[in-house]
Amino acid sequence: MISPHPSFVWPIDQNVKIWRYTDLAKFTSLLFTSNLFFSRAAFLGDPYEGSIPKIQYELREYIIANRATDPNLKNWADIKDNQTLRDMFATEAKFREQSVKEFFVSCWHMNEHESAAMWRLYTLATEAVCIQSTFSRLASALPGYVNVGVVKYIDYDRDIIPADNLFNAVLHKRKSFSHEQEVRAVAWERLAGDKGGDEIQKNMNAGGLRISVNLQQLVERVYISPTASPWFEDVINYLVNANNLKVPVMKSSLAATPLY
């Protein structure tokens, strides 16, 4: 069970529905292994993962130039040498860039209803599946070394990401991605051994991390793509039953016949 973390914002309604749209191969793997796959953040497809906004980047130069005269920068005033400060900022930037390769992320769409856009965006084939869970189910099904929270969408030209915790960067995205309404579960490779780091390092690979979960606890329903053929529905029902997963399997409501 996950404990709250200051960098991970939980929704007001923790029973809100969350959805994971996937293809047949990934769904089959989940059923047969009971392992939820966490991709390295660097492979999620957004080059801004883990980066900081423009104004925050430019603030470094402002600190170097004005730390002796701006009273708001008094915490920086004791560093007299400009090069020392530049080296500090360069080290911070390198650490942030490296961390994107060390964060493992499982992405979910938060919505009370199915999303036609998500079916199109995240399932390339007509034979696709969606796992419907809830925020509280996900938080309960994952081990304590994982954190889960709602992604915040900001303007990367004007806004600032709080710098007090490295997790904050991986929980912010550009406003152009706000349609994703994303919930993220995140594990970090650098956790100390007694906090789960040993378990992470044992199970991770170049592409990501597999985490064992109780599927009965995690999954509330399984939805079949609105464009799937009848034979595909039979396959999904067979797979779910063969793995003794006692959850409803239903065709997407988007496939319902319109009324006139």
Side-chain angles (χ1 to χ4, degrees):
M1 173 65 178
I2 292 172
S3 299
H5 184 288
S7 294
F8 290 79
V9 177
W10 288 23
I12 295 174
D13 179 10
Q14 293 170 23
N15 290 316
V16 63
K17 292 178 181 178
I18 59 174
W19 311 74
R20 188 172 173 88
Y21 296 83
T22 188
D23 59 29
L24 177 59
K26 292 176 182 176
F27 180 68
T28 303
S29 176
L30 175 66
L31 287 179
F32 279 90
T33 66
S34 294
N35 287 334
L36 188 61
F37 180 71
F38 284 60
S39 171
R40 289 188 186 270
F43 299 153
L44 291 175
D46 180 4
Y48 275 64
E49 289 288 353
S51 68
I52 59 174
K54 180 180 179 182
I55 191 172
Q56 207 160 340
Y57 178 84
E58 294 174 342
L59 181 60
R60 293 169 176 166
E61 285 299 323
Y62 180 85
I63 291 172
I64 291 170
N66 299 280
R67 66 187 185 283
T69 56
D70 188 336
N72 294 318
L73 302 177
K74 60 182 180 180
N75 292 337
W76 299 95
D78 291 339
I79 305 174
K80 305 300 183 183
D81 182 61
N82 284 354
Q83 189 56 49
T84 298
L85 202 49
R86 290 186 190 280
D87 290 345
M88 287 175 57
F89 289 143
T91 299
E92 177 195 2
K94 186 176 181 180
F95 185 66
R96 286 182 178 278
E97 188 174 12
Q98 176 62 27
S99 71
V100 184
K101 304 171 185 176
E102 299 170 348
F103 283 127
F104 300 99
V105 182
S106 175
C107 307
W108 297 73
H109 173 68
M110 184 172 66
N111 200 330
E112 279 301 320
H113 306 282
E114 282 183 78
S115 168
M118 292 298 110
W119 277 117
R120 290 195 296 268
L121 281 172
Y122 292 99
T123 56
L124 299 179
T126 56
E127 282 72 41
V129 179
C130 181
I131 301 158
Q132 185 258 302
S133 184
T134 66
F135 185 92
S136 60
R137 278 177 174 265
L138 179 62
S140 298
L142 291 170
Y145 58 79
V146 181
N147 288 290
V148 60
V150 178
V151 170
K152 184 175 182 180
Y153 300 93
I154 63 171
D155 184 335
Y156 269 60
D157 285 330
R158 299 180 180 180
D159 295 327
I160 286 179
I161 296 173
D164 57 340
N165 194 292
L166 194 62
F167 278 119
N168 291 333
V170 81
L171 287 163
H172 287 75
K173 295 190 72 173
R174 289 172 288 172
K175 284 188 175 181
S176 53
F177 289 89
S178 60
H179 61 279
E180 293 178 347
Q181 298 175 227
E182 189 176 342
V183 165
R184 284 189 163 183
V186 182
W188 189 27
E189 180 180 329
R190 293 202 189 194
L191 285 180
D194 62 344
K195 295 184 181 296
D198 289 347
E199 189 71 15
I200 292 171
Q201 292 172 24
K202 181 178 71 174
N203 294 309
M204 70 185 190
N205 57 43
L209 170 70
R210 296 190 181 277
I211 294 179
S212 177
V213 294
N214 182 328
L215 292 183
Q216 197 64 57
Q217 185 179 17
L218 173 66
V219 181
E220 190 164 71
R221 292 180 180 84
V222 173
Y223 286 81
I224 298 170
S225 167
T227 57
S229 304
W231 66 264
F232 186 72
E233 297 181 48
D234 296 337
V235 169
I236 297 303
N237 276 288
Y238 171 79
L239 289 171
V240 169
N241 291 330
N243 286 275
N244 203 32
L245 182 59
K246 308 297 184 183
V247 299
V249 177
M250 55 192 66
K251 188 72 177 283
S252 165
S253 62
L254 298 174
T257 303
L259 302 175
Y260 300 96

